[in-house]
Amino acid sequence: MIAYFNGRFMPKQDICIPVDDRGFLFSDSLYEVIRYYPGGLFRPNAHIRRLNHGAGHLSLACTDFSYLIPVAGDLIHQNQLESQDALVYIHVTRGIAPRNHPFPVPTPAPTIYMGVSLFDTSAKDRQRKTGIHAITVPDIRWSRCDMKTTGLTANVLANQQAAENGADEAVFVRDGVLMEGTHTNFMAVFDNIVTTAPLSNYILGGITRDTVLALCRHLGIRTSESPIYENRIHRASELMVTGTTTEITPIVALNDQPVGNGRPGPTARALQDAFTEHLSF
Ligand code: PDD
């Protein structure tokens, strides 16, 4: 695979990152995952806006990564993935400096990596049809989940816990409120209203979440960006997760309790159809 590294295209296996890179030492870094559908990238500008948001808050030396959008297109082309399903991974770190907590002086150039990979969608397609099982876990993450930093230890542990319990995703619960999944946003349907956590520093502003809310408006489905309380979750007729790799995937069991009738519900299916239609490249 050809990848992009600090301004150059090169074979991925030839890329070396010094151990003093702050991404390695401190997870002082941000990432994005952008879906490529045969024909085009999915909302690349929105992904770059989110990356820029994080870079601004972290005071990285570069806070405008819009020049990476054509680079992503180049990588898809160079790796002959134009007619395939693929993922673009972007990773930006503060750069290289001897280990010391404050921002290094002088400011190093950020380390910028972008890679692409073929995305085998078969397992995800199956999950979208049949639905997935999820568990809830305490949200032990920090309070800046709006930035897509690479410090994902809590997400890794939670997702592993899901796997060990025969589930596919874990949903973080903070102070009795279901926030989001380990790599997805979370939605519940109460009385035909699609409800999802409001944007805050406690969740990532998902691009798919945003698209799904827009599709709801388009379909005339009511939405509410408000807290989803753990003690009311049994009243939801449907649950679902949304994300770049999951699109819209129904949750058919939460903590081993069936959701609704235990099958993907009509709202999720209508949104999946609308999402597919929306992808008209
Ligand atoms: N994760 N919440 C979290 C914590 C996430 O990590 C993600 C995405 C989302 C969904 O955001 P979006 O719709 O923009 O993909 C929500 C990516 C896909 C990942 O970590 O692989």
Side-chain angles (χ1 to χ4, degrees):
M1 280 285 178
I2 300 296
Y4 172 89
F5 185 59
N6 292 341
R8 289 173 56 205
F9 291 97
M10 56 198 287
K12 183 178 172 185
Q13 68 269 20
D14 291 350
I15 295 174
C16 286
I17 299 182
V19 291
D20 276 344
D21 192 287
R22 290 183 60 107
F24 179 69
L25 292 175
F26 292 112
S27 288
D28 193 3
S29 49
L30 299 162
Y31 77 106
E32 281 295 329
V33 182
I34 309 179
R35 181 76 153 81
Y36 176 82
Y37 292 90
L41 293 163
F42 185 69
R43 300 193 58 188
N45 293 305
H47 283 276
I48 293 299
R49 251 196 318 278
R50 186 167 66 190
L51 183 61
N52 292 345
H53 160 81
H57 278 283
L58 296 183
S59 305
L60 298 190
C62 173
T63 54
D64 183 3
F65 291 97
S66 44
Y67 72 94
L68 290 179
I69 296 176
V71 174
D74 269 5
L75 273 188
I76 293 287
H77 176 71
Q78 290 193 41
N79 290 288
Q80 294 165 6
L81 289 167
E82 284 104 329
S83 59
Q84 312 277 337
D85 290 294
L87 294 174
V88 175
Y89 177 78
I90 302 173
H91 190 147
V92 176
T93 86
R94 191 179 302 282
I96 301 157
R99 188 177 186 281
N100 201 9
H101 284 72
F103 296 171
V105 181
T107 304
T111 300
I112 299 166
Y113 165 75
M114 189 190 301
V116 291
S117 56
L118 190 64
F119 184 38
D120 178 359
T121 64
S122 50
K124 297 286 187 190
D125 290 344
R126 220 169 20 252
Q127 291 184 338
R128 274 193 290 279
K129 277 206 189 85
T130 60
I132 59 167
H133 288 216
I135 60 167
T136 53
V137 294
D139 197 344
I140 60 167
R141 299 174 302 162
W142 70 334
S143 305
R144 286 310 305 267
C145 304
D146 56 307
M147 292 195 280
K148 204 161 168 58
T149 62
T150 59
L152 293 173
T153 312
N155 308 53
V156 167
L157 293 178
N159 200 260
Q160 177 62 21
Q161 194 177 328
E164 287 172 7
N165 284 278
D168 303 286
E169 179 60 307
V171 180
F172 289 116
V173 180
R174 196 185 284 261
D175 298 330
V177 177
L178 283 84
M179 306 303 297
E180 63 176 340
T182 64
H183 58 295
T184 55
N185 289 112
F186 176 73
M187 298 191 178
V189 183
F190 295 105
D191 302 323
N192 297 317
I193 302 173
V194 171
T195 308
T196 192
L199 292 180
S200 75
N201 51 315
Y202 293 122
I203 67 161
L204 185 77
I207 313 301
T208 322
R209 172 191 179 281
D210 181 61
T211 300
V212 169
L213 289 175
L215 289 174
C216 285
R217 287 189 283 276
H218 178 70
L219 294 173
I221 299 171
R222 286 163 63 200
T223 60
S224 171
E225 294 179 62
S226 55
I228 300 172
Y229 294 100
E230 196 174 23
N231 62 7
R232 290 194 64 229
I233 199 71
H234 61 279
R235 296 207 213 153
S237 57
E238 294 181 47
L239 303 179
M240 56 193 120
V241 286
T242 68
T244 291
T245 50
T246 38
E247 296 179 0
I248 301 157
T249 300
I251 296 174
V252 292
L254 184 68
N255 295 332
D256 290 327
Q257 297 300 309
V259 177
N261 62 8
R263 289 198 296 274
T267 316
R269 284 203 306 268
L271 286 168
Q272 287 173 336
D273 289 348
F275 189 87
T276 306
E277 211 169 297
H278 173 75
L279 296 172
S280 49
F281 288 106

